Amino acid sequence: MRILTVQELNQHIKTLLEKDYLLANVWVKGEISNFKAATSGHFYFTLKDNYSCLRVVMFRSRSRSLLFRPENGMAVTVRGYVSLYERDGAYQLYAEEMEPDGTGALYLAFEQLKERLQKEGLFDPGHKKPLPLLPKRIGIVTSPTGAAVRDLVEIIRRRWPGLEIVLVPVLVQGESAPPDVARGVQLLNKLGGVDLIIVGRGGGSLEELWAFNTEIVARSIYNSKIPVISAVGHETDITISDFVADKRAATPSAAAELAVPDKREMTRHVQSLKTRLYRAANDKVKGCGQRLAACMNNRHFTRPLDVFCGSRQQSLDFLLHRLNQGVHSSVGGQEKRLAVLAGRLQTLSPLSTLARGYSICTTPDGNRVVQDTDSVEIGARLSVRLHRGLLHCVVENKNSDN
């Protein structure tokens, strides 16, 4: 009896699995769980139903071609081959394709990208730039051979002859289209002198319009410093570019009409404004002339002396009379009050006291009033102020009795 190593047994089982025709190319339906996106770009997850589960790996070479992002709980259908991972001794499905179950992959990818970019604020109305009223130079990013570019150029030149158009030819379909369109928008921003950009293409299927549902194109439009009009497909076609752009046009032809006004209509509008301005100015001048004539006929201009020397002079005389009365009354009252205060002051004056026979005794320099006998010595010199005159005395005797 031969005894096998673990590795030999796993290799044998792997060989059996890989030789099975059914397991070489099998479609499996289930629900994603334990999903993990490695930094290497590989996807690892479990595919399960109500009864069983299956390990699945999808290498980067396959995962990068997915249009949608797998998530836990998502029902999918996976195509691949079954083999054994020798290290763990576990068989697993090596996925090569994956599609959402019940929902188209393109539609799911569209909804996922739309939701993510909306959360990041790329659709925010506050970020959208107004379109210029009269652009001098318009940049167009589209295929140089499609009907869309012919319609754009024809309508723009018909509506505003002589306007400069800068065409950036790009691919609008296929794997190379998204980076090509993004480079076209970036190039016009670097070029300078462009007032408006139109990005788009003619109609087609969802797959043919897919370049305008990619993140790289959406971010190039969002980061553009120049206003962008998105003109992709027909009126019913909605793309991510339409949500990000500053203005969405239903068709390329509609984009041309949004981009520039009709010169003939603008000329008629300017002429109408000119006529209205002339009439308004004429009416204003006429009205001012009538007001001036009315002012000139007013008696203030025809008889100015009557205004100043008539009733106004009488009013002035009356006011002057009232002013004089007020002044005399005020002065008389103040004179009476002054007389009363002067009488009170006279009563309190030391001079009045001296007039009644009293006198004031001070030191000879007059700096100190002598109020009692103890403050002077016998032989001291004093000054005595009378009502009229001053006496210089010498103390010969003093009596301290009251």
Side-chain angles (χ1 to χ4, degrees):
M1 180 180 66
R2 181 185 174 190
I3 298 176
L4 301 177
T5 65
V6 174
Q7 183 182 20
E8 288 174 338
L9 179 58
N10 283 345
Q11 288 177 346
H12 179 71
I13 296 174
K14 180 178 181 180
T15 302
L16 293 176
L17 291 173
E18 291 179 351
K19 285 182 178 181
D20 189 298
Y21 176 76
L22 175 64
L23 301 180
N25 186 23
V26 61
W27 285 91
V28 184
K29 181 171 68 173
E31 181 181 305
I32 295 177
S33 65
N34 301 320
F35 178 80
K36 178 183 178 182
T39 55
S40 60
H42 306 328
F43 290 166
Y44 300 94
F45 57 94
T46 300
L47 202 60
K48 67 177 184 177
D49 57 20
N50 293 333
Y51 307 99
S52 302
C53 59
L54 172 66
R55 291 175 59 179
V56 184
V57 59
M58 190 175 212
F59 294 125
R60 180 176 180 274
S61 59
R62 298 293 184 177
S63 66
R64 65 183 179 183
S65 62
L66 287 180
L67 297 176
F68 66 96
R69 177 77 172 182
E71 297 176 351
N72 287 325
M74 184 181 293
V76 294
T77 302
V78 182
R79 186 189 69 81
Y81 63 92
V82 178
S83 186
L84 187 84
Y85 185 40
E86 293 183 28
R87 192 196 70 177
D88 295 344
Y91 83 92
Q92 56 189 18
L93 178 66
Y94 292 83
E96 295 183 330
E97 291 183 48
M98 181 160 49
E99 295 180 355
D101 187 28
T103 305
L106 291 178
Y107 178 76
L108 180 59
F110 173 86
E111 290 296 330
Q112 286 181 334
L113 181 60
K114 177 184 173 184
E115 182 179 1
R116 181 157 58 87
L117 296 183
Q118 186 172 18
K119 288 181 179 178
E120 291 185 33
L122 269 69
F123 305 162
D124 188 358
H127 183 267
K128 298 186 183 298
K129 299 173 284 296
L131 304 185
L133 177 63
L134 293 173
K136 296 180 180 179
R137 180 187 291 178
I138 294 179
I140 301 177
V141 180
T142 189
S143 170
T145 58
V149 67
R150 292 195 298 271
D151 292 343
L152 282 168
V153 173
E154 179 183 346
I155 294 174
I156 289 174
R157 286 181 174 169
R158 184 179 71 240
R159 291 175 67 83
W160 202 275
L163 189 145
E164 187 175 354
I165 299 174
V166 179
L167 175 62
V168 180
V170 296
L171 296 172
V172 293
Q173 188 173 329
E175 292 185 4
S176 301
D180 211 22
V181 173
R183 281 193 296 269
V185 175
Q186 294 165 2
L187 177 62
L188 288 174
N189 275 267
K190 292 179 181 178
L191 178 64
V194 176
D195 303 313
L196 181 64
I197 297 175
I198 300 176
V199 178
R201 56 155 292 164
S205 64
L206 181 59
E207 290 80 2
E208 292 171 331
L209 302 179
W210 193 251
F212 299 92
N213 284 321
T214 57
E215 184 172 356
I216 187 173
V217 172
R219 293 196 180 278
S220 68
I221 294 175
Y222 180 80
N223 293 324
S224 174
K225 296 180 180 179
I226 303 171
V228 177
I229 297 177
S230 175
V232 182
H234 301 300
E235 186 170 355
T236 56
D237 297 321
I238 302 294
T239 64
I240 297 294
S241 298
D242 295 333
F243 292 110
V244 183
D246 300 296
K247 194 75 174 179
R248 184 231 173 201
T251 62
S253 299
E257 294 178 356
L258 284 173
V260 291
D262 190 315
K263 191 171 186 178
R264 290 170 296 181
E265 292 181 3
M266 183 66 74
T267 302
R268 287 194 293 269
H269 182 62
V270 170
Q271 185 60 43
S272 174
L273 292 177
K274 181 180 178 180
T275 302
R276 289 174 58 189
L277 179 62
Y278 174 78
R279 289 176 180 173
N282 189 48
D283 291 345
K284 187 68 174 178
V285 171
K286 194 175 291 185
C288 291
Q290 292 174 352
R291 289 184 61 191
L292 178 61
C295 290
M296 294 300 295
N297 292 328
N298 192 284
R299 68 187 188 92
H300 292 78
F301 287 93
T302 56
R303 296 190 299 275
L305 294 179
D306 291 348
V307 175
F308 293 101
C309 299
S311 60
R312 292 183 182 275
Q313 183 64 47
Q314 184 177 356
S315 299
L316 179 61
D317 292 340
F318 176 72
L319 292 175
L320 287 174
H321 176 69
R322 290 185 58 188
L323 178 62
N324 288 330
Q325 285 182 335
V327 170
H328 289 311
S329 175
S330 177
V331 170
Q334 295 298 330
E335 286 179 347
K336 291 180 181 178
R337 185 181 177 191
L338 180 60
V340 172
L341 293 175
R344 292 178 181 176
L345 184 62
Q346 182 66 28
T347 303
L348 299 175
S349 174
L351 296 179
S352 299
T353 303
L354 296 177
R356 294 199 297 272
Y358 292 94
S359 63
I360 300 174
C361 182
T362 65
T363 58
D365 55 10
N367 292 332
R368 184 169 61 87
V369 176
V370 178
Q371 295 180 336
D372 58 75
T373 57
D374 293 338
S375 61
V376 295
E377 300 292 336
I378 299 297
R381 293 182 175 278
L382 298 176
S383 295
V384 178
R385 178 172 292 280
L386 305 175
H387 178 58
R388 293 188 181 87
L390 184 66
L391 298 177
H392 298 285
C393 306
V394 176
V395 178
E396 294 181 351
N397 190 12
K398 63 180 182 177
N399 187 353
S400 59
D401 294 339
N402 291 334

